Amino acid sequence: MTRTEALAETKARLASAGVETPDTDSKRLLLHAENISQAALIADPDAVLTERNLFLSFIERRIRREPVAKITGYKDFWSYRFQVNGDVLDPRPDTETLIEAAFECTGKAASLRIADLGTGSGCILLTLLAKMPHATGLGLDISPGALKVAKTNAKMLNLDNRSQFIAGDWLSALDETFDLVVSNPPYIPVTEGDMLAPEVIDWEPHTALFAGMDGLQAYREIANGLSSVLKSDGTAIFEVGYNQAKPVMDLFKKAGFRRISSRTDLGGIERCIIVQR
């Protein structure tokens, strides 16, 4: 079986299984199985597939709707590669809006102390640290598995000397103040679980997805304690779900914050809010 034949066959199988991006997914899995680059595939598309059984096992996993990132064990975010597994959410393009807002509000040269609440894979904190050579950061997560992944990613990016990861539930474990607080907390109402794609509901940690009946519980807890961990001239930035910007902003207004704004993603959706002292 050649690479071209393998891609044609598996693309059709993925499409029949309801996978939304069969062409892209079959190519990514073939590249991973063969350990080759996109350029190598383009240069010699009719080469014999050397890792046929491994590739087909990846396809079977994808047919069961396991995400490609969970199969390969990594996901690219911003310009970096992050290890992922079932303990963490896959980094998503939507979250890049939060990264851009952080750079806009603080600049890249500032010597900042950053806290990342619910750090997961560490992709937010580590991306910021990679672009801010004078910053240091603390990642907080309630999941031991997530903390292990984040620490591994810090070492892979040579950022373990400027980052620390600790266990804790939102702000309760923090005993210092920060220049910048960031978070992509769970924000899906538990009543909407049956609306999620199999790739999400079956393969990603529910504690990182769901936040009460209205999806706002994490924001309530953070808003109530934010003033105790944010410096007097500090900034906090939070990712929010569709149509959640206004109710989340209202929670922070109720908590006493007045300088609050939002940023939209490339689709025009208000994707993050910015809270400043």
Side-chain angles (χ1 to χ4, degrees), residues 177-178 230-234 259 276-277:
T177 56
F178 297 85
L230 191 64
K231 290 184 178 179
S232 58
D233 58 348
R259 297 175 61 198
Q276 294 172 301
R277 299 285 308 249

Side-chain angles (χ1 to χ4, degrees), residues 61 66-75 82-92 120-122 143-153 199-200 202-206 208:
R61 291 169 66 180
E66 185 174 356
V68 171
K70 296 293 194 283
I71 298 171
T72 63
Y74 68 85
K75 184 70 178 287
F82 293 90
Q83 182 187 93
V84 296
N85 60 23
D87 291 314
V88 300
L89 296 180
D90 292 347
R92 289 163 166 77
S121 67
S143 165
L147 292 171
K148 184 177 181 180
V149 172
K151 291 175 183 177
T152 297
N153 284 325
E199 286 85 348
V200 177
D202 293 338
W203 297 98
E204 300 211 284
H206 289 191

Side-chain angles (χ1 to χ4, degrees), residues 122-193:
C123 67
I124 295 175
L125 176 62
L126 296 174
T127 297
L128 294 174
L129 293 181
K131 294 295 186 180
M132 297 177 172
H134 303 294
T136 62
L138 176 68
L140 183 75
D141 206 290
I142 198 171
S143 165
L147 292 171
K148 184 177 181 180
V149 172
K151 291 175 183 177
T152 297
N153 284 325
K155 290 181 179 179
M156 289 173 57
L157 294 171
N158 295 317
L159 292 168
D160 49 321
N161 62 325
R162 291 195 285 125
S163 62
Q164 179 186 6
F165 297 93
I166 64 171
D169 188 9
W170 302 124
L171 305 172
S172 60
L174 301 180
D175 58 2
E176 61 176 300
T177 56
F178 297 85
D179 302 286
L180 176 63
V181 174
V182 292
S183 182
N184 177 19
Y187 53 67
I188 300 174
V190 294
T191 55
E192 296 182 6

Side-chain angles (χ1 to χ4, degrees), residues 22-99:
D23 186 35
T24 300
D25 292 359
S26 60
K27 285 181 181 178
R28 287 181 61 190
L29 293 174
L30 185 143
L31 296 177
H32 185 65
E34 295 284 277
N35 193 27
I36 60 172
S37 65
Q38 176 77 17
L41 176 61
I42 294 172
D44 195 1
D46 293 319
V48 174
L49 193 67
T50 59
E51 298 292 341
R52 180 176 182 274
N53 290 339
L54 179 61
F55 173 56
L56 294 180
S57 73
F58 289 165
I59 294 298
E60 290 299 327
R61 291 169 66 180
R62 188 69 187 102
I63 286 173
R64 296 194 293 272
R65 307 301 289 273
E66 185 174 356
V68 171
K70 296 293 194 283
I71 298 171
T72 63
Y74 68 85
K75 184 70 178 287
D76 293 332
F77 176 78
W78 205 257
S79 56
Y80 306 103
R81 178 158 291 182
F82 293 90
Q83 182 187 93
V84 296
N85 60 23
D87 291 314
V88 300
L89 296 180
D90 292 347
R92 289 163 166 77
D94 292 341
T95 304
E96 294 188 356
T97 304
L98 187 157
I99 301 292

